[in-house]
Every structure is written in C-alpha cells, then in structure tokens.
Amino acid sequence: QKEVEQNSGPLSVPEGAIASLNCTYSDRGSQSFFWYRQYSGKSPELIMFIYSNGDKEDGRFTAQLNKASQYVSLLIRDSQPSDSATYLCASRSGGYNKLIFGAGTRLAVHP
Amino acid sequence: NAGVTQTPKFRILKIGQSMTLQCTQDMNHNYMYWYRQDPGMGLKLIYYSVGAGITDKGEVPNGYNVSRSTTEDFPLRLELAAPSQTSVYFCASSPDAGSGNTIYFGEGSWLTVV
C-alpha cells in the first residue's frame, strides 16, 4: 500500500515565524511531490512541486526533498495569518498524474 | 476562466437513492479524476480517465461508476447511496504527464446520505 504520512497538527506558529511542515512517503518509485493548500470549505490549490533532491524556493515557500530518506518538507517564511490552512502533501504514483495524498497538516498562524 | 466546474455544490440523498455528480473542464485536458475527501482525511482517488472512452478504477471505486464520452465531461454516478458515501467530492483535470504537470481541482460537491 503506497502511503503518504503527515502529522495532522495543528501546528501553531506566531506571525512572522517560519512554519515547517513535514511529510514522508512509502513508494520509493515516486518521482514528483506536491504541496497543496486547502482553506476550510474550499478545494486544494497547488503551492509547489518538487522532483529533484534538495531545495526549491518560490517566494516565501521552500520545498525540500530527500529521496534517500523518503522525506519532503515545506517551509513557509514570514508566516502570515492568511497562511492558516491545511497543507496537503502528495506524491505522484503509477502514471497519468495520479496523486496519493497525505491527510494534511493544519497550520494556525496567530498574530 | 471557468477551469473545472462541478454541479451540484450541495446535495442530500436518502439511502438507496442514486444520483450523478457532473464535472466539465474547458482546458482541453486529457486526464480527469474524481477524488473524495472525508473529514480530517486526505483525498482518495475514486476513478480516473486518460481520454474519451477510457476510464479506470482508483483506490476506492466501490459504489461508483463513471463514463467519459467527451474530453470535457466526466460524470460520477452513485448507485444505491449509502451513509459511507457522505463526503466531499472533487473533480480534477490535468494535462498529459510531465514532471511538473499536476492536477487542478473543481470547487467540490458536498454530499450527505441520510
């Protein structure tokens, strides 16, 4: 069974701090990984994808991938209250862009 | 700027009833998907399609059926609704496979079976 695991949280950080969200996956054959943000009652929206070992930066967001450890993370710098949401980690598995999702980590940024 | 459109947004069904969730996309994507999301859980793939006339099962297909007669439309049929099918349903689409290509979601359909 291919799985993606995330800590459900909530992860609470003060405004302006760095939020660190983590994810592990079981399928060593997975090549691409995605972070989605989901506000309550809304659909998931793509934040970033990563497929190479190392770091990938986009604005306040940095995705990190370590294939040897089967570990993906998302760092959010200068966290804002508007970042409060559930963050879903997903791996692409089995072709046709099918994604396996983790259960999500709820992030709460407090002023 | 429609993207992926789902209807209805909310529906209450009685046990044993049937219904169809409609999904259409205007991006000319070949790949389409149906996911369900239970409270506090991640999304689970129900069915997917890689083109008109081609569909396949995902992780949780039992109790559902799909068809894909056109590139644009991918309806999900619930037969004999059960309380376990109470969930949020997301339709999604994607361009053909590529390292960065991912899927884009519709706004969701909230279904309650009572």
Side-chain angles (χ1 to χ4, degrees):
Chain A
Q1 182 80 0
K2 299 173 183 176
E3 294 182 335
V4 174
E5 301 284 346
Q6 294 182 257
N7 187 320
S8 61
L11 173 66
S12 182
V13 300
E15 184 174 357
I18 296 175
S20 178
L21 305 162
N22 305 313
C23 167
T24 59
Y25 60 95
S26 63
D27 181 12
R28 283 198 172 274
S30 293
Q31 295 295 315
S32 302
F33 303 89
F34 303 83
W35 284 99
Y36 283 81
R37 177 175 62 199
Q38 186 176 28
Y39 293 112
S40 181
K42 300 295 186 182
S43 60
E45 54 180 330
L46 180 67
I47 299 175
M48 295 185 68
F49 66 88
I50 185 168
Y51 55 88
S52 298
N53 272 329
D55 296 359
K56 179 181 179 182
E57 187 173 317
D58 184 359
R60 295 188 296 114
F61 299 97
T62 299
Q64 300 173 316
L65 173 60
N66 183 326
K67 291 185 178 181
S69 300
Q70 295 176 248
Y71 180 88
V72 191
S73 65
L74 179 71
L75 301 178
I76 306 174
R77 290 181 298 280
D78 188 24
S79 295
Q80 301 297 309
S82 59
D83 294 325
S84 298
T86 296
Y87 289 79
L88 302 171
C89 175
S91 69
R92 188 160 65 192
S93 180
Y96 305 120
N97 289 342
K98 292 181 292 179
L99 298 183
I100 296 175
F101 285 86
T105 298
R106 189 156 58 90
L107 173 67
V109 181
H110 54 87
Chain B
N1 198 19
V4 179
T5 303
Q6 294 180 232
T7 57
K9 193 168 180 67
F10 301 97
R11 181 74 185 267
I12 299 175
L13 273 183
K14 293 184 178 179
I15 294 172
Q17 287 186 322
S18 300
M19 75 160 297
T20 299
L21 297 176
Q22 302 291 344
C23 176
T24 187
Q25 53 96 6
D26 62 0
M27 297 174 282
N28 201 33
H29 288 167
N30 283 326
Y31 298 169
M32 294 189 73
Y33 317 83
W34 275 104
Y35 285 87
R36 61 175 285 175
Q37 185 176 34
D38 298 330
M41 304 293 288
L43 288 86
K44 300 292 186 185
L45 182 63
I46 305 171
Y47 270 95
Y48 67 100
S49 170
V50 300
I54 307 170
T55 63
D56 205 352
K57 296 177 181 178
E59 302 170 80
V60 290
N62 291 343
Y64 307 95
N65 275 301
V66 294
S67 60
R68 184 97 180 267
S69 58
T70 66
T71 300
E72 294 78 20
D73 299 309
F74 190 41
L76 178 71
R77 178 82 175 162
L78 281 74
E79 304 283 1
L80 299 175
S84 61
Q85 293 178 303
T86 294
S87 191
V88 184
Y89 292 83
F90 290 102
C91 180
S93 72
S94 172
D96 293 353
S99 61
N101 285 338
T102 188
I103 63 177
Y104 300 91
F105 290 90
E107 293 189 340
S109 296
W110 274 253
L111 176 66
T112 301
V113 181
V114 296

